[in-house]
mmCIF file of all heavy atoms in Angstrom:
data_model
loop_
_atom_site.group_PDB
_atom_site.id
_atom_site.type_symbol
_atom_site.label_atom_id
_atom_site.label_comp_id
_atom_site.label_asym_id
_atom_site.label_seq_id
_atom_site.Cartn_x
_atom_site.Cartn_y
_atom_site.Cartn_z
ATOM 1 N N THR R 191 -77.365 -39.653 2.106
ATOM 2 C CA THR R 191 -78.542 -38.766 2.060
ATOM 3 C C THR R 191 -79.718 -39.576 1.577
ATOM 4 O O THR R 191 -79.741 -40.058 0.409
ATOM 5 C CB THR R 191 -78.346 -37.621 1.078
ATOM 6 O OG1 THR R 191 -77.195 -36.847 1.543
ATOM 7 C CG2 THR R 191 -79.531 -36.690 1.097
ATOM 8 N N ASP R 192 -80.710 -39.786 2.435
ATOM 9 C CA ASP R 192 -81.844 -40.611 2.106
ATOM 10 C C ASP R 192 -83.146 -39.807 2.257
ATOM 11 O O ASP R 192 -83.143 -38.732 2.812
ATOM 12 C CB ASP R 192 -81.899 -41.899 2.935
ATOM 13 C CG ASP R 192 -81.855 -41.641 4.454
ATOM 14 O OD1 ASP R 192 -82.697 -40.821 4.917
ATOM 15 O OD2 ASP R 192 -80.992 -42.207 5.135
ATOM 16 N N ALA R 193 -84.188 -40.370 1.680
ATOM 17 C CA ALA R 193 -85.489 -39.649 1.576
ATOM 18 C C ALA R 193 -86.051 -39.365 2.973
ATOM 19 O O ALA R 193 -86.601 -38.242 3.210
ATOM 20 C CB ALA R 193 -86.442 -40.482 0.769
ATOM 21 N N LYS R 194 -85.950 -40.300 3.871
ATOM 22 C CA LYS R 194 -86.582 -40.145 5.194
ATOM 23 C C LYS R 194 -85.974 -38.947 5.959
ATOM 24 O O LYS R 194 -86.712 -38.108 6.531
ATOM 25 C CB LYS R 194 -86.502 -41.411 6.020
ATOM 26 C CG LYS R 194 -87.329 -41.346 7.256
ATOM 27 C CD LYS R 194 -87.397 -42.736 7.917
ATOM 28 C CE LYS R 194 -88.299 -42.710 9.120
ATOM 29 N NZ LYS R 194 -88.341 -44.094 9.798
ATOM 30 N N ALA R 195 -84.655 -38.846 5.957
ATOM 31 C CA ALA R 195 -84.009 -37.739 6.687
ATOM 32 C C ALA R 195 -84.262 -36.444 5.980
ATOM 33 O O ALA R 195 -84.458 -35.391 6.638
ATOM 34 C CB ALA R 195 -82.502 -38.039 6.758
ATOM 35 N N LEU R 196 -84.181 -36.398 4.644
ATOM 36 C CA LEU R 196 -84.459 -35.194 3.920
ATOM 37 C C LEU R 196 -85.844 -34.643 4.215
ATOM 38 O O LEU R 196 -86.061 -33.470 4.449
ATOM 39 C CB LEU R 196 -84.330 -35.390 2.398
ATOM 40 C CG LEU R 196 -82.907 -35.412 1.819
ATOM 41 C CD1 LEU R 196 -82.976 -35.831 0.381
ATOM 42 C CD2 LEU R 196 -82.238 -34.045 1.956
ATOM 43 N N SER R 197 -86.834 -35.574 4.210
ATOM 44 C CA SER R 197 -88.228 -35.132 4.332
ATOM 45 C C SER R 197 -88.490 -34.528 5.718
ATOM 46 O O SER R 197 -89.461 -33.764 5.890
ATOM 47 C CB SER R 197 -89.148 -36.330 4.143
ATOM 48 O OG SER R 197 -89.008 -36.860 2.835
ATOM 49 N N ALA R 198 -87.648 -34.847 6.686
ATOM 50 C CA ALA R 198 -87.838 -34.381 8.051
ATOM 51 C C ALA R 198 -86.984 -33.150 8.409
ATOM 52 O O ALA R 198 -87.039 -32.604 9.508
ATOM 53 C CB ALA R 198 -87.536 -35.479 9.057
ATOM 54 N N LEU R 199 -86.177 -32.727 7.489
ATOM 55 C CA LEU R 199 -85.232 -31.599 7.756
ATOM 56 C C LEU R 199 -85.947 -30.278 7.991
ATOM 57 O O LEU R 199 -86.771 -29.865 7.146
ATOM 58 C CB LEU R 199 -84.191 -31.479 6.601
ATOM 59 C CG LEU R 199 -83.055 -30.527 6.861
ATOM 60 C CD1 LEU R 199 -82.077 -31.055 7.865
ATOM 61 C CD2 LEU R 199 -82.335 -30.139 5.564
ATOM 62 N N SER R 200 -85.690 -29.606 9.053
ATOM 63 C CA SER R 200 -86.345 -28.355 9.354
ATOM 64 C C SER R 200 -85.427 -27.175 9.089
ATOM 65 O O SER R 200 -84.204 -27.270 9.040
ATOM 66 C CB SER R 200 -86.698 -28.338 10.833
ATOM 67 O OG SER R 200 -85.590 -28.260 11.662
ATOM 68 N N ALA R 201 -86.054 -25.992 8.948
ATOM 69 C CA ALA R 201 -85.292 -24.732 8.758
ATOM 70 C C ALA R 201 -84.419 -24.510 9.960
ATOM 71 O O ALA R 201 -83.365 -23.959 9.876
ATOM 72 C CB ALA R 201 -86.274 -23.611 8.481
ATOM 73 N N ALA R 202 -84.890 -24.914 11.155
ATOM 74 C CA ALA R 202 -84.140 -24.691 12.375
ATOM 75 C C ALA R 202 -82.855 -25.517 12.382
ATOM 76 O O ALA R 202 -81.788 -25.014 12.777
ATOM 77 C CB ALA R 202 -85.015 -24.994 13.622
ATOM 78 N N GLN R 203 -82.983 -26.760 11.891
ATOM 79 C CA GLN R 203 -81.737 -27.624 11.800
ATOM 80 C C GLN R 203 -80.728 -26.989 10.830
ATOM 81 O O GLN R 203 -79.568 -26.877 11.103
ATOM 82 C CB GLN R 203 -82.132 -28.979 11.271
ATOM 83 C CG GLN R 203 -82.735 -29.880 12.257
ATOM 84 C CD GLN R 203 -83.081 -31.241 11.613
ATOM 85 O OE1 GLN R 203 -84.123 -31.335 10.922
ATOM 86 N NE2 GLN R 203 -82.280 -32.265 11.843
ATOM 87 N N LEU R 204 -81.272 -26.539 9.686
ATOM 88 C CA LEU R 204 -80.387 -25.939 8.700
ATOM 89 C C LEU R 204 -79.752 -24.624 9.220
ATOM 90 O O LEU R 204 -78.564 -24.419 9.087
ATOM 91 C CB LEU R 204 -81.188 -25.593 7.432
ATOM 92 C CG LEU R 204 -80.395 -25.326 6.172
ATOM 93 C CD1 LEU R 204 -79.563 -26.593 5.762
ATOM 94 C CD2 LEU R 204 -81.368 -24.963 5.054
ATOM 95 N N ALA R 205 -80.537 -23.851 9.952
ATOM 96 C CA ALA R 205 -80.033 -22.599 10.523
ATOM 97 C C ALA R 205 -78.944 -22.856 11.560
ATOM 98 O O ALA R 205 -77.956 -22.163 11.595
ATOM 99 C CB ALA R 205 -81.195 -21.787 11.144
ATOM 100 N N SER R 206 -79.101 -23.918 12.323
ATOM 101 C CA SER R 206 -78.151 -24.225 13.354
ATOM 102 C C SER R 206 -76.775 -24.609 12.761
ATOM 103 O O SER R 206 -75.754 -24.096 13.112
ATOM 104 C CB SER R 206 -78.624 -25.405 14.191
ATOM 105 O OG SER R 206 -77.648 -25.774 15.162
ATOM 106 N N VAL R 207 -76.798 -25.492 11.763
ATOM 107 C CA VAL R 207 -75.500 -25.916 11.116
ATOM 108 C C VAL R 207 -74.918 -24.764 10.298
ATOM 109 O O VAL R 207 -73.672 -24.552 10.302
ATOM 110 C CB VAL R 207 -75.762 -27.145 10.198
ATOM 111 C CG1 VAL R 207 -74.449 -27.493 9.512
ATOM 112 C CG2 VAL R 207 -76.234 -28.320 11.064
ATOM 113 N N PHE R 208 -75.748 -23.957 9.649
ATOM 114 C CA PHE R 208 -75.272 -22.888 8.816
ATOM 115 C C PHE R 208 -75.015 -21.577 9.599
ATOM 116 O O PHE R 208 -74.707 -20.547 9.041
ATOM 117 C CB PHE R 208 -76.277 -22.619 7.626
ATOM 118 C CG PHE R 208 -76.128 -23.582 6.519
ATOM 119 C CD1 PHE R 208 -76.162 -24.941 6.682
ATOM 120 C CD2 PHE R 208 -75.945 -23.096 5.256
ATOM 121 C CE1 PHE R 208 -76.056 -25.821 5.616
ATOM 122 C CE2 PHE R 208 -75.775 -23.968 4.154
ATOM 123 C CZ PHE R 208 -75.838 -25.336 4.364
ATOM 124 N N GLN R 209 -75.147 -21.660 10.918
ATOM 125 C CA GLN R 209 -74.786 -20.571 11.811
ATOM 126 C C GLN R 209 -75.581 -19.315 11.608
ATOM 127 O O GLN R 209 -75.105 -18.221 11.662
ATOM 128 C CB GLN R 209 -73.275 -20.302 11.706
ATOM 129 C CG GLN R 209 -72.373 -21.488 11.960
ATOM 130 C CD GLN R 209 -70.914 -21.288 11.675
ATOM 131 O OE1 GLN R 209 -70.526 -20.215 11.206
ATOM 132 N NE2 GLN R 209 -70.056 -22.290 11.936
ATOM 133 N N VAL R 210 -76.874 -19.505 11.265
ATOM 134 C CA VAL R 210 -77.716 -18.382 10.924
ATOM 135 C C VAL R 210 -78.341 -17.824 12.228
ATOM 136 O O VAL R 210 -78.840 -18.573 13.054
ATOM 137 C CB VAL R 210 -78.873 -18.850 9.956
ATOM 138 C CG1 VAL R 210 -79.817 -17.684 9.681
ATOM 139 C CG2 VAL R 210 -78.257 -19.372 8.660
#
Side-chain angles (χ1 to χ4, degrees):
T191 301
D192 55 52
K194 190 171 182 180
L196 280 172
S197 299
L199 188 72
S200 69
Q203 283 177 284
L204 197 61
S206 176
V207 176
F208 279 55
Q209 303 171 359
V210 178

